[in-house]
Each structure stands twice: as structure tokens, then as C-alpha cells.
Amino acid sequence: MNDLLLLGIETTCDETAAAVVLRKADGTGEIRSNVVLSQTDEHSAYGGVVPEIAARAHVEVLDNVIGRALREAGVTLSDLDGIAAAAGPGLIGGVIVGLTTAKAVALASAKPLVAVNHLEAHALTARLTDAVGFPYLLLLVSGGHTQLVSVTGVGQYVKLGGTIDDAIGEAFDKTAKMLGLPYPGGPAVERAAERGDPTRFAFPRPLTGRWEPDFSLSGLKTAVRLEALKIAPLSEQDVADLCASFQAAVVDMVADRVRAALRLMRERGEKPTALVVAGGVGANQAIRKTLHKVAAEGGTRLAVPPPALCTDNGAMIAWAGAERLALGLKDDLAVPPRARWPLDETTKGADAGGSSDR
Ligand code: KG4
Ligand code: ZN
């Protein structure tokens, strides 16, 4: 297998991103450029991402973002071995913009196209940053997803547990909105929590102690809202204490659910080489600190990409594209964009139309 140089394009949510990544023959990787243009300002007035605004913004800036990624890497299209784009899951308008652009670039440069599942890209990032080997336990925690997944190879994902209601990032975002903190909520809640008392409010930790590694966030979210209403008007200290108590509940819940998943993996006869955390919530320091302990207790190690590679970016798409291309997996120009695309339908060798392995 040769070195592979990939361009990666990410437009599934509110980041317009492109990157150039090298995957060396020995399986290690190198980021040559990583350009991320966040649309936070366009959406902050609405307290969340507005799909129509996001799609239009991607159209306006994507050409420039790709141009910058190539320039910063010091390469031209002819130096590349393939073009990767996130083909879903995500906001369909944005996905169409990114995937269609990738198709045009692939066609014009006569390079192979790799349609990447955005979740798979999050799942494989730790192999780029930490050279993690298979199998590993993946905790995927973002604005739209909360899953525990056994990863035994590229394209081999078995979901062990997931959320039965809200995603963890979504709970952070909704809590922030409720307390008048800015969007995106995760970083704002984490900052406020630093000045707060995590023991002031005893919020529920739903599903902890259960054997199946599932999550439930809506009861916690409701508890925060009821408490906030009860003690309104909120002082700055009240907001900090609510955030700290909310975050403490999330941390306990995540620790308990990850322990359950590690147990389950062992029962399946799989010995995880690492606990890998991926997705925007992985940027949270309190969660990282606790998972460090949980991993050590479970006889494994924690591998979390740096915060900038936990949130959406083009490098993870380029890397996932390279991992697939290294196995000979590529897609034809008819590959469709997908709003919904569960990770465990991204099987090795499956066509990007997605064949279920369940
Ligand atoms: O992976 P990502 O960038 O986009 C999705 O694919 O969803 O994740 C964004 C999510 C948002 O819900 C955001 O509030 C959350 O990750 N997030 C955080 C932190 N930074 C981002 N949540 C908790 N603590 C953080 N520091
Ligand atoms: Zn994401």
C-alpha cells in the first residue's frame, strides 16, 4: 500500500471545512492543512443552527475554504490520491453542497471519490491523532449523537448503546439556552460551571446502574428547567451552580454508562485497546478527566483527539476517506447524500447507499 493524500470536505452542520491529510503506508497520518470556517455568528441569534441559512453559507464559502486548504498544504489537485466528502448524516442542504462540490472536483481532476459517513469520520479520528489499534470502545458524543460503539475495524461498527431521547450535546445546548447563555451551549455551560457549586442541586442521573449502556437526558434537562423556574430570577451565581450541577450529573452518567459498555465488550470477547471519545462534547474537560479514570479502572487507556479535532472539521473526513481508500473502498459519482445514515450501516465494503448489517 502506498501513501495516500486526500482532500476532505465537511458541510453536514454549521462548519464549512476542508483539509488535506496524508495517510502513510504504515497506517500513520499527518495533517497537511485543516481549514474550518464556523458559521456561529450567522446562527447565534436563533440559539441553534438554521438549516436554510447553513446551506446558503456553505455555498458562499466552500470554494474558498477548499482553495485555502490546498494552498496551505502546498499541493494542487493533481497531487491528490482522492477526494473525500461527508455524504451524511446531517442537514441535507449542507450535505448536498459538500458532496456535489466533491463530485465536481473528483470529476474534473479524475481522482477517486470517497463518500464518508460523518460519524465514521469522528469514530476514526483517534487513529490519526493517537494511532489507536482495533478493537476499541468509541463514545461518540456530539450535538446530534450519543452512542457507545464497539469498533473492530474500518467499517465494522456495532452499536452497544445510545440515547433514548436527547443527545448529550443537545442537552448542553438546551440548558445553555434555558439559562440565557450563548450558543453553542457546551463551551458556555462548561465555562459557567467552573465558577459554580456542583453539589448545590441534586439532579437525576437517569439509567445509571442499568446493564445496557443506554443514555437518557430529557429527565435531567427537565429537572434543570424546573429548578431554574423555582429560584428565578437567576443571579450569575445561580446560573453557575445550575451549570456545575448539570455538568456533574452528565459526568456521572457518562462514567457509569461507559463502565457498562466496557463490561459488555469484555463479555463479547473483545479487549479494547482504548476508550476513544469523539464528537464535540469530547472537548469538555470535566468529561475527559473522569473518563481518564474510568478507562484506567477498566484496564485500558483514554484516547481523545485534541478539542479542535473533536468538533467538526475536514481533517477527520480526509482521514476517514484515506482509511477507506487504503482498503480499496471508493464510490461512484451517483452516490446519494443522506440525511440519516446510522454508523452501523456503514459496513466495510457496503455501497454508500448503505446496506444494513443488522
Ligand atoms: O461534533 P460537533 O462539532 O457537531 C455535531 O456533529 O453535532 O458537536 C457539537 C456539539 C454541540 O452540542 C456543542 O454544544 C457540544 O458539541 N460541545 C460541548 C463542548 N464543546 C462543544 N459540550 C460540552 N462541553 C464542551 N466543551
Ligand atoms: Zn460532528
mmCIF file with all atom_site columns, all heavy atoms in Angstrom, residues 10 12-13 15 89 118-119 122 140-145 278-280 310-313 316, ligand 2:
data_model
loop_
_atom_site.group_PDB
_atom_site.id
_atom_site.type_symbol
_atom_site.label_atom_id
_atom_site.label_alt_id
_atom_site.label_comp_id
_atom_site.label_asym_id
_atom_site.label_entity_id
_atom_site.label_seq_id
_atom_site.pdbx_PDB_ins_code
_atom_site.Cartn_x
_atom_site.Cartn_y
_atom_site.Cartn_z
_atom_site.occupancy
_atom_site.B_iso_or_equiv
_atom_site.pdbx_formal_charge
_atom_site.auth_seq_id
_atom_site.auth_comp_id
_atom_site.auth_asym_id
_atom_site.auth_atom_id
_atom_site.pdbx_PDB_model_num
ATOM   1   N  N   . GLU A 1 10  ? -16.165 18.915 4.622  1.00 0.00 ? 10  GLU A N   1
ATOM   2   C  CA  . GLU A 1 10  ? -17.184 18.719 5.669  1.00 0.00 ? 10  GLU A CA  1
ATOM   3   C  C   . GLU A 1 10  ? -18.186 19.881 5.653  1.00 0.00 ? 10  GLU A C   1
ATOM   4   O  O   . GLU A 1 10  ? -17.796 21.035 5.807  1.00 0.00 ? 10  GLU A O   1
ATOM   5   C  CB  . GLU A 1 10  ? -16.473 18.642 7.035  1.00 0.00 ? 10  GLU A CB  1
ATOM   6   C  CG  . GLU A 1 10  ? -17.339 18.932 8.257  1.00 0.00 ? 10  GLU A CG  1
ATOM   7   C  CD  . GLU A 1 10  ? -18.515 17.984 8.423  1.00 0.00 ? 10  GLU A CD  1
ATOM   8   O  OE1 . GLU A 1 10  ? -18.371 16.785 8.126  1.00 0.00 ? 10  GLU A OE1 1
ATOM   9   O  OE2 . GLU A 1 10  ? -19.599 18.458 8.831  1.00 0.00 ? 10  GLU A OE2 1
ATOM   10  N  N   . THR A 1 12  ? -21.778 19.111 6.920  1.00 0.00 ? 12  THR A N   1
ATOM   11  C  CA  . THR A 1 12  ? -23.029 18.489 7.367  1.00 0.00 ? 12  THR A CA  1
ATOM   12  C  C   . THR A 1 12  ? -23.804 19.320 8.384  1.00 0.00 ? 12  THR A C   1
ATOM   13  O  O   . THR A 1 12  ? -24.974 19.058 8.635  1.00 0.00 ? 12  THR A O   1
ATOM   14  C  CB  . THR A 1 12  ? -22.776 17.106 8.004  1.00 0.00 ? 12  THR A CB  1
ATOM   15  O  OG1 . THR A 1 12  ? -21.967 17.294 9.167  1.00 0.00 ? 12  THR A OG1 1
ATOM   16  C  CG2 . THR A 1 12  ? -22.093 16.165 7.041  1.00 0.00 ? 12  THR A CG2 1
ATOM   17  N  N   . CYS A 1 13  ? -23.118 20.304 9.003  1.00 0.00 ? 13  CYS A N   1
ATOM   18  C  CA  . CYS A 1 13  ? -23.816 21.112 10.013 1.00 0.00 ? 13  CYS A CA  1
ATOM   19  C  C   . CYS A 1 13  ? -23.468 22.586 9.805  1.00 0.00 ? 13  CYS A C   1
ATOM   20  O  O   . CYS A 1 13  ? -23.719 23.113 8.738  1.00 0.00 ? 13  CYS A O   1
ATOM   21  C  CB  . CYS A 1 13  ? -23.485 20.595 11.411 1.00 0.00 ? 13  CYS A CB  1
ATOM   22  S  SG  . CYS A 1 13  ? -24.562 21.293 12.686 1.00 0.00 ? 13  CYS A SG  1
ATOM   23  N  N   . GLU A 1 15  ? -20.309 24.041 10.223 1.00 0.00 ? 15  GLU A N   1
ATOM   24  C  CA  . GLU A 1 15  ? -18.915 24.339 9.908  1.00 0.00 ? 15  GLU A CA  1
ATOM   25  C  C   . GLU A 1 15  ? -18.671 24.028 8.440  1.00 0.00 ? 15  GLU A C   1
ATOM   26  O  O   . GLU A 1 15  ? -19.032 22.957 7.971  1.00 0.00 ? 15  GLU A O   1
ATOM   27  C  CB  . GLU A 1 15  ? -17.966 23.481 10.753 1.00 0.00 ? 15  GLU A CB  1
ATOM   28  C  CG  . GLU A 1 15  ? -17.434 24.178 11.987 1.00 0.00 ? 15  GLU A CG  1
ATOM   29  C  CD  . GLU A 1 15  ? -18.261 23.890 13.208 1.00 0.00 ? 15  GLU A CD  1
ATOM   30  O  OE1 . GLU A 1 15  ? -18.949 22.851 13.204 1.00 0.00 ? 15  GLU A OE1 1
ATOM   31  O  OE2 . GLU A 1 15  ? -18.248 24.719 14.143 1.00 0.00 ? 15  GLU A OE2 1
ATOM   32  N  N   . PRO A 1 89  ? -24.439 11.558 8.003  1.00 0.00 ? 89  PRO A N   1
ATOM   33  C  CA  . PRO A 1 89  ? -25.752 12.150 8.183  1.00 0.00 ? 89  PRO A CA  1
ATOM   34  C  C   . PRO A 1 89  ? -25.619 13.620 8.565  1.00 0.00 ? 89  PRO A C   1
ATOM   35  O  O   . PRO A 1 89  ? -24.570 14.034 9.032  1.00 0.00 ? 89  PRO A O   1
ATOM   36  C  CB  . PRO A 1 89  ? -26.323 11.335 9.360  1.00 0.00 ? 89  PRO A CB  1
ATOM   37  C  CG  . PRO A 1 89  ? -25.127 10.953 10.168 1.00 0.00 ? 89  PRO A CG  1
ATOM   38  C  CD  . PRO A 1 89  ? -24.010 10.755 9.170  1.00 0.00 ? 89  PRO A CD  1
ATOM   39  N  N   . HIS A 1 118 ? -20.139 10.893 8.247  1.00 0.00 ? 118 HIS A N   1
ATOM   40  C  CA  . HIS A 1 118 ? -19.625 11.866 9.209  1.00 0.00 ? 118 HIS A CA  1
ATOM   41  C  C   . HIS A 1 118 ? -19.319 11.208 10.565 1.00 0.00 ? 118 HIS A C   1
ATOM   42  O  O   . HIS A 1 118 ? -18.338 11.551 11.232 1.00 0.00 ? 118 HIS A O   1
ATOM   43  C  CB  . HIS A 1 118 ? -20.679 12.984 9.367  1.00 0.00 ? 118 HIS A CB  1
ATOM   44  C  CG  . HIS A 1 118 ? -20.358 14.020 10.387 1.00 0.00 ? 118 HIS A CG  1
ATOM   45  N  ND1 . HIS A 1 118 ? -19.707 15.188 10.080 1.00 0.00 ? 118 HIS A ND1 1
ATOM   46  C  CD2 . HIS A 1 118 ? -20.610 14.074 11.711 1.00 0.00 ? 118 HIS A CD2 1
ATOM   47  C  CE1 . HIS A 1 118 ? -19.573 15.911 11.181 1.00 0.00 ? 118 HIS A CE1 1
ATOM   48  N  NE2 . HIS A 1 118 ? -20.115 15.259 12.196 1.00 0.00 ? 118 HIS A NE2 1
ATOM   49  N  N   . LEU A 1 119 ? -20.160 10.268 10.969 1.00 0.00 ? 119 LEU A N   1
ATOM   50  C  CA  . LEU A 1 119 ? -19.965 9.599  12.262 1.00 0.00 ? 119 LEU A CA  1
ATOM   51  C  C   . LEU A 1 119 ? -18.740 8.686  12.212 1.00 0.00 ? 119 LEU A C   1
ATOM   52  O  O   . LEU A 1 119 ? -17.983 8.583  13.177 1.00 0.00 ? 119 LEU A O   1
ATOM   53  C  CB  . LEU A 1 119 ? -21.204 8.778  12.635 1.00 0.00 ? 119 LEU A CB  1
ATOM   54  C  CG  . LEU A 1 119 ? -22.506 9.576  12.706 1.00 0.00 ? 119 LEU A CG  1
ATOM   55  C  CD1 . LEU A 1 119 ? -23.673 8.641  13.004 1.00 0.00 ? 119 LEU A CD1 1
ATOM   56  C  CD2 . LEU A 1 119 ? -22.408 10.661 13.772 1.00 0.00 ? 119 LEU A CD2 1
ATOM   57  N  N   . HIS A 1 122 ? -15.719 10.828 12.748 1.00 0.00 ? 122 HIS A N   1
ATOM   58  C  CA  . HIS A 1 122 ? -15.470 11.050 14.178 1.00 0.00 ? 122 HIS A CA  1
ATOM   59  C  C   . HIS A 1 122 ? -14.866 9.791  14.797 1.00 0.00 ? 122 HIS A C   1
ATOM   60  O  O   . HIS A 1 122 ? -13.931 9.856  15.591 1.00 0.00 ? 122 HIS A O   1
ATOM   61  C  CB  . HIS A 1 122 ? -16.783 11.370 14.908 1.00 0.00 ? 122 HIS A CB  1
ATOM   62  C  CG  . HIS A 1 122 ? -17.201 12.811 14.835 1.00 0.00 ? 122 HIS A CG  1
ATOM   63  N  ND1 . HIS A 1 122 ? -16.386 13.857 15.225 1.00 0.00 ? 122 HIS A ND1 1
ATOM   64  C  CD2 . HIS A 1 122 ? -18.375 13.384 14.456 1.00 0.00 ? 122 HIS A CD2 1
ATOM   65  C  CE1 . HIS A 1 122 ? -17.037 15.007 15.070 1.00 0.00 ? 122 HIS A CE1 1
ATOM   66  N  NE2 . HIS A 1 122 ? -18.241 14.752 14.603 1.00 0.00 ? 122 HIS A NE2 1
ATOM   67  N  N   . LEU A 1 140 ? -19.241 8.239  21.225 1.00 0.00 ? 140 LEU A N   1
ATOM   68  C  CA  . LEU A 1 140 ? -19.485 9.298  20.250 1.00 0.00 ? 140 LEU A CA  1
ATOM   69  C  C   . LEU A 1 140 ? -20.513 10.262 20.827 1.00 0.00 ? 140 LEU A C   1
ATOM   70  O  O   . LEU A 1 140 ? -21.669 9.887  21.046 1.00 0.00 ? 140 LEU A O   1
ATOM   71  C  CB  . LEU A 1 140 ? -20.003 8.668  18.956 1.00 0.00 ? 140 LEU A CB  1
ATOM   72  C  CG  . LEU A 1 140 ? -20.362 9.628  17.829 1.00 0.00 ? 140 LEU A CG  1
ATOM   73  C  CD1 . LEU A 1 140 ? -19.148 10.426 17.392 1.00 0.00 ? 140 LEU A CD1 1
ATOM   74  C  CD2 . LEU A 1 140 ? -20.922 8.859  16.647 1.00 0.00 ? 140 LEU A CD2 1
ATOM   75  N  N   . VAL A 1 141 ? -20.066 11.463 21.131 1.00 0.00 ? 141 VAL A N   1
ATOM   76  C  CA  . VAL A 1 141 ? -20.939 12.411 21.820 1.00 0.00 ? 141 VAL A CA  1
ATOM   77  C  C   . VAL A 1 141 ? -20.893 13.772 21.130 1.00 0.00 ? 141 VAL A C   1
ATOM   78  O  O   . VAL A 1 141 ? -19.916 14.498 21.238 1.00 0.00 ? 141 VAL A O   1
ATOM   79  C  CB  . VAL A 1 141 ? -20.543 12.570 23.304 1.00 0.00 ? 141 VAL A CB  1
ATOM   80  C  CG1 . VAL A 1 141 ? -21.213 11.518 24.162 1.00 0.00 ? 141 VAL A CG1 1
ATOM   81  C  CG2 . VAL A 1 141 ? -19.038 12.527 23.521 1.00 0.00 ? 141 VAL A CG2 1
ATOM   82  N  N   . SER A 1 142 ? -21.967 14.091 20.408 1.00 0.00 ? 142 SER A N   1
ATOM   83  C  CA  . SER A 1 142 ? -21.981 15.368 19.690 1.00 0.00 ? 142 SER A CA  1
ATOM   84  C  C   . SER A 1 142 ? -23.336 16.034 19.896 1.00 0.00 ? 142 SER A C   1
ATOM   85  O  O   . SER A 1 142 ? -24.105 15.660 20.776 1.00 0.00 ? 142 SER A O   1
ATOM   86  C  CB  . SER A 1 142 ? -21.707 15.130 18.207 1.00 0.00 ? 142 SER A CB  1
ATOM   87  O  OG  . SER A 1 142 ? -22.799 14.469 17.625 1.00 0.00 ? 142 SER A OG  1
ATOM   88  N  N   . GLY A 1 143 ? -23.615 17.027 19.055 1.00 0.00 ? 143 GLY A N   1
ATOM   89  C  CA  . GLY A 1 143 ? -24.889 17.729 19.184 1.00 0.00 ? 143 GLY A CA  1
ATOM   90  C  C   . GLY A 1 143 ? -26.061 16.866 18.768 1.00 0.00 ? 143 GLY A C   1
ATOM   91  O  O   . GLY A 1 143 ? -27.176 17.029 19.248 1.00 0.00 ? 143 GLY A O   1
ATOM   92  N  N   . GLY A 1 144 ? -25.800 15.921 17.849 1.00 0.00 ? 144 GLY A N   1
ATOM   93  C  CA  . GLY A 1 144 ? -26.892 15.109 17.337 1.00 0.00 ? 144 GLY A CA  1
ATOM   94  C  C   . GLY A 1 144 ? -26.803 13.641 17.731 1.00 0.00 ? 144 GLY A C   1
ATOM   95  O  O   . GLY A 1 144 ? -27.746 12.884 17.484 1.00 0.00 ? 144 GLY A O   1
ATOM   96  N  N   . HIS A 1 145 ? -25.677 13.229 18.330 1.00 0.00 ? 145 HIS A N   1
ATOM   97  C  CA  . HIS A 1 145 ? -25.473 11.798 18.569 1.00 0.00 ? 145 HIS A CA  1
ATOM   98  C  C   . HIS A 1 145 ? -24.884 11.514 19.935 1.00 0.00 ? 145 HIS A C   1
ATOM   99  O  O   . HIS A 1 145 ? -24.041 12.262 20.420 1.00 0.00 ? 145 HIS A O   1
ATOM   100 C  CB  . HIS A 1 145 ? -24.555 11.213 17.496 1.00 0.00 ? 145 HIS A CB  1
ATOM   101 C  CG  . HIS A 1 145 ? -25.106 11.384 16.123 1.00 0.00 ? 145 HIS A CG  1
ATOM   102 N  ND1 . HIS A 1 145 ? -25.992 10.508 15.565 1.00 0.00 ? 145 HIS A ND1 1
ATOM   103 C  CD2 . HIS A 1 145 ? -24.940 12.377 15.218 1.00 0.00 ? 145 HIS A CD2 1
ATOM   104 C  CE1 . HIS A 1 145 ? -26.341 10.943 14.369 1.00 0.00 ? 145 HIS A CE1 1
ATOM   105 N  NE2 . HIS A 1 145 ? -25.713 12.081 14.133 1.00 0.00 ? 145 HIS A NE2 1
ATOM   106 N  N   . ALA A 1 278 ? -15.139 10.799 20.829 1.00 0.00 ? 278 ALA A N   1
ATOM   107 C  CA  . ALA A 1 278 ? -15.208 11.578 19.593 1.00 0.00 ? 278 ALA A CA  1
ATOM   108 C  C   . ALA A 1 278 ? -16.447 12.446 19.595 1.00 0.00 ? 278 ALA A C   1
ATOM   109 O  O   . ALA A 1 278 ? -17.417 12.169 20.307 1.00 0.00 ? 278 ALA A O   1
ATOM   110 C  CB  . ALA A 1 278 ? -15.240 10.633 18.396 1.00 0.00 ? 278 ALA A CB  1
ATOM   111 N  N   . GLY A 1 279 ? -16.425 13.507 18.817 1.00 0.00 ? 279 GLY A N   1
ATOM   112 C  CA  . GLY A 1 279 ? -17.559 14.421 18.748 1.00 0.00 ? 279 GLY A CA  1
ATOM   113 C  C   . GLY A 1 279 ? -17.341 15.625 19.658 1.00 0.00 ? 279 GLY A C   1
ATOM   114 O  O   . GLY A 1 279 ? -16.509 15.592 20.569 1.00 0.00 ? 279 GLY A O   1
ATOM   115 N  N   . GLY A 1 280 ? -18.110 16.682 19.389 1.00 0.00 ? 280 GLY A N   1
ATOM   116 C  CA  . GLY A 1 280 ? -17.903 17.969 20.050 1.00 0.00 ? 280 GLY A CA  1
ATOM   117 C  C   . GLY A 1 280 ? -17.857 17.927 21.566 1.00 0.00 ? 280 GLY A C   1
ATOM   118 O  O   . GLY A 1 280 ? -17.062 18.642 22.189 1.00 0.00 ? 280 GLY A O   1
ATOM   119 N  N   . CYS A 1 310 ? -12.072 17.252 17.770 1.00 0.00 ? 310 CYS A N   1
ATOM   120 C  CA  . CYS A 1 310 ? -13.303 16.640 18.311 1.00 0.00 ? 310 CYS A CA  1
ATOM   121 C  C   . CYS A 1 310 ? -14.515 17.278 17.651 1.00 0.00 ? 310 CYS A C   1
ATOM   122 O  O   . CYS A 1 310 ? -15.479 16.601 17.299 1.00 0.00 ? 310 CYS A O   1
ATOM   123 C  CB  . CYS A 1 310 ? -13.405 16.854 19.826 1.00 0.00 ? 310 CYS A CB  1
ATOM   124 S  SG  . CYS A 1 310 ? -12.401 15.708 20.765 1.00 0.00 ? 310 CYS A SG  1
ATOM   125 N  N   . THR A 1 311 ? -14.486 18.601 17.507 1.00 0.00 ? 311 THR A N   1
ATOM   126 C  CA  . THR A 1 311 ? -15.598 19.271 16.824 1.00 0.00 ? 311 THR A CA  1
ATOM   127 C  C   . THR A 1 311 ? -15.416 19.084 15.317 1.00 0.00 ? 311 THR A C   1
ATOM   128 O  O   . THR A 1 311 ? -14.375 18.633 14.854 1.00 0.00 ? 311 THR A O   1
ATOM   129 C  CB  . THR A 1 311 ? -15.643 20.771 17.198 1.00 0.00 ? 311 THR A CB  1
ATOM   130 O  OG1 . THR A 1 311 ? -14.339 21.312 17.041 1.00 0.00 ? 311 THR A OG1 1
ATOM   131 C  CG2 . THR A 1 311 ? -16.076 20.962 18.644 1.00 0.00 ? 311 THR A CG2 1
ATOM   132 N  N   . ASP A 1 312 ? -16.466 19.421 14.557 1.00 0.00 ? 312 ASP A N   1
ATOM   133 C  CA  . ASP A 1 312 ? -16.468 19.100 13.129 1.00 0.00 ? 312 ASP A CA  1
ATOM   134 C  C   . ASP A 1 312 ? -15.311 19.780 12.383 1.00 0.00 ? 312 ASP A C   1
ATOM   135 O  O   . ASP A 1 312 ? -15.019 20.957 12.611 1.00 0.00 ? 312 ASP A O   1
ATOM   136 C  CB  . ASP A 1 312 ? -17.797 19.525 12.510 1.00 0.00 ? 312 ASP A CB  1
ATOM   137 C  CG  . ASP A 1 312 ? -18.935 18.664 13.035 1.00 0.00 ? 312 ASP A CG  1
ATOM   138 O  OD1 . ASP A 1 312 ? -18.652 17.638 13.686 1.00 0.00 ? 312 ASP A OD1 1
ATOM   139 O  OD2 . ASP A 1 312 ? -20.102 19.010 12.784 1.00 0.00 ? 312 ASP A OD2 1
ATOM   140 N  N   . ASN A 1 313 ? -14.685 19.032 11.506 1.00 0.00 ? 313 ASN A N   1
ATOM   141 C  CA  . ASN A 1 313 ? -13.519 19.541 10.763 1.00 0.00 ? 313 ASN A CA  1
ATOM   142 C  C   . ASN A 1 313 ? -13.322 18.713 9.501  1.00 0.00 ? 313 ASN A C   1
ATOM   143 O  O   . ASN A 1 313 ? -13.922 17.644 9.344  1.00 0.00 ? 313 ASN A O   1
ATOM   144 C  CB  . ASN A 1 313 ? -12.274 19.479 11.662 1.00 0.00 ? 313 ASN A CB  1
ATOM   145 C  CG  . ASN A 1 313 ? -11.909 18.054 12.027 1.00 0.00 ? 313 ASN A CG  1
ATOM   146 O  OD1 . ASN A 1 313 ? -11.195 17.381 11.291 1.00 0.00 ? 313 ASN A OD1 1
ATOM   147 N  ND2 . ASN A 1 313 ? -12.428 17.552 13.145 1.00 0.00 ? 313 ASN A ND2 1
ATOM   148 N  N   . MET A 1 316 ? -10.839 15.121 9.668  1.00 0.00 ? 316 MET A N   1
ATOM   149 C  CA  . MET A 1 316 ? -11.401 13.802 10.013 1.00 0.00 ? 316 MET A CA  1
ATOM   150 C  C   . MET A 1 316 ? -12.063 13.160 8.790  1.00 0.00 ? 316 MET A C   1
ATOM   151 O  O   . MET A 1 316 ? -12.043 11.938 8.642  1.00 0.00 ? 316 MET A O   1
ATOM   152 C  CB  . MET A 1 316 ? -12.398 13.917 11.174 1.00 0.00 ? 316 MET A CB  1
ATOM   153 C  CG  . MET A 1 316 ? -13.691 14.645 10.861 1.00 0.00 ? 316 MET A CG  1
ATOM   154 S  SD  . MET A 1 316 ? -14.761 14.694 12.333 1.00 0.00 ? 316 MET A SD  1
ATOM   155 C  CE  . MET A 1 316 ? -16.320 15.201 11.593 1.00 0.00 ? 316 MET A CE  1
HETATM 156 ZN ZN  . ZN  B 2 .   ? -19.862 16.024 14.251 1.00 0.00 ? 2   ZN  B ZN  1
#
